[in-house]
Amino acid sequence: MNIINIAQTRYSTKKFDPARSLSADQLADIKALLRLSPSSVNSQPWHFVISTNPTGKARIAKAAGGQYVANESKINDASCVVVFCVKTDLTDDYLEALLDQEQQDGRIDSEEMKGKVRKVRGFYADLHRVQWLDTQCWMEKQVYLNMGAFLLGVGALGLDAVPIEGVDTKVLDTEFDLTAKGFKALAVVAIGYQADNDFNAKLPKSRWPESSLFCEV
């Protein structure tokens, strides 16, 4: 696998083949990509609603009505749909639970190290919670970092995908009771296999040239 080739060939799928489904192994890989994403100070401020069945996808597609109706078929026809959600608060209790998980996983091997990690993570968390007052924006950046890695990852798995911000996230919050769980929806990613008549699959990729992007010093 050549990662540059994946970056060159992946694209935003506009039409999915509704007849194709994912295997259990493919779904497991998708979940692994979501779990293993990097985040600032390993904060992982995310949650995911995932569906591979018509009923669940129809629930997600409720958010693609009205002005967003062009995205309804992408959600219903995809093999798998993921709702990317973000935490609505970054509490000390959450950060402590995160430390406990890291200790359980063997990343922290002593109480001394746990104290050091607590101090460093607390410093960066408080830059946003106390000094800059942009905690929500910062957490959303982590979710979008996950989404970017995810799109490249599913391409490497041989799957097609499209990120969809054109949904009513408040509908998703209500449908899946996200607010009560301490989360809110940000965007949707639909994953599957392109349909034969997906016009976007045949268009060349267009990006700014290197000459306008890079300043080598």
Side-chain angles (χ1 to χ4, degrees):
M1 179 186 68
N2 185 312
I3 197 69
I4 301 303
N5 184 60
I6 299 299
Q8 289 172 333
T9 56
R10 66 141 305 277
Y11 75 107
S12 292
T13 307
K14 302 302 183 183
K15 290 183 180 293
F16 288 96
D17 183 347
R20 301 188 69 176
S21 58
L22 301 184
S23 68
D25 286 344
Q26 287 174 312
L27 182 58
D29 287 342
I30 282 172
K31 290 179 178 179
L33 285 172
L34 294 168
R35 283 189 63 245
L36 297 172
S37 171
S39 60
S40 179
V41 295
N42 201 28
S43 53
Q44 307 172 67
W46 44 56
H47 179 74
F48 309 98
V49 178
I50 302 175
S51 181
T52 58
N53 65 78
T55 301
K57 288 185 288 184
R59 291 180 67 189
I60 297 171
K62 289 180 182 179
Q67 63 183 332
Y68 304 121
V69 71
N71 291 321
E72 184 178 23
S73 62
K74 298 170 191 170
I75 293 171
N76 284 321
D77 291 345
S79 305
C80 176
V81 182
V82 179
V83 181
F84 282 69
C85 311
V86 64
K87 288 181 66 63
T88 54
D89 195 11
L90 192 68
T91 65
D92 288 338
D93 285 345
Y94 172 78
L95 295 178
E96 198 63 28
L98 191 58
L99 278 170
D100 291 341
Q101 184 64 51
E102 289 170 323
Q103 191 168 32
Q104 179 181 321
D105 291 337
R107 184 174 177 82
I108 294 175
D109 61 5
S110 68
E111 288 302 315
E112 181 183 4
M113 183 177 181
K114 191 173 186 179
K116 290 179 180 178
V117 174
R118 180 186 292 114
K119 182 177 181 179
V120 171
R121 181 178 288 136
F123 168 78
Y124 285 105
D126 283 345
L127 282 179
H128 299 280
R129 296 190 298 181
V130 179
Q131 185 170 335
W132 298 335
L133 303 178
D134 66 345
T135 310
Q136 194 62 45
C137 179
W138 179 63
M139 291 192 295
E140 290 178 9
K141 288 177 181 179
Q142 310 316 309
V143 178
Y144 276 90
L145 178 63
N146 187 311
M147 193 183 303
F150 182 71
L151 291 171
L152 189 61
V154 295
L157 294 175
L159 297 170
D160 300 305
V162 59
I164 304 172
E165 284 190 309
V167 290
D168 189 334
T169 56
K170 292 182 179 179
V171 170
L172 294 171
D173 291 344
T174 300
E175 181 69 22
F176 299 104
D177 200 24
L178 294 173
T179 303
K181 298 173 183 176
F183 298 96
K184 68 175 183 177
L186 286 183
V188 170
V189 174
I191 308 109
Y193 297 91
Q194 66 185 54
D196 291 338
N197 62 342
D198 183 2
F199 72 92
N200 209 31
K202 300 174 178 62
L203 297 177
K205 189 178 287 288
S206 176
R207 296 291 190 270
W208 291 114
E210 288 189 10
S211 59
S212 66
L213 293 178
F214 302 114
C215 175
E216 296 189 28
V217 297

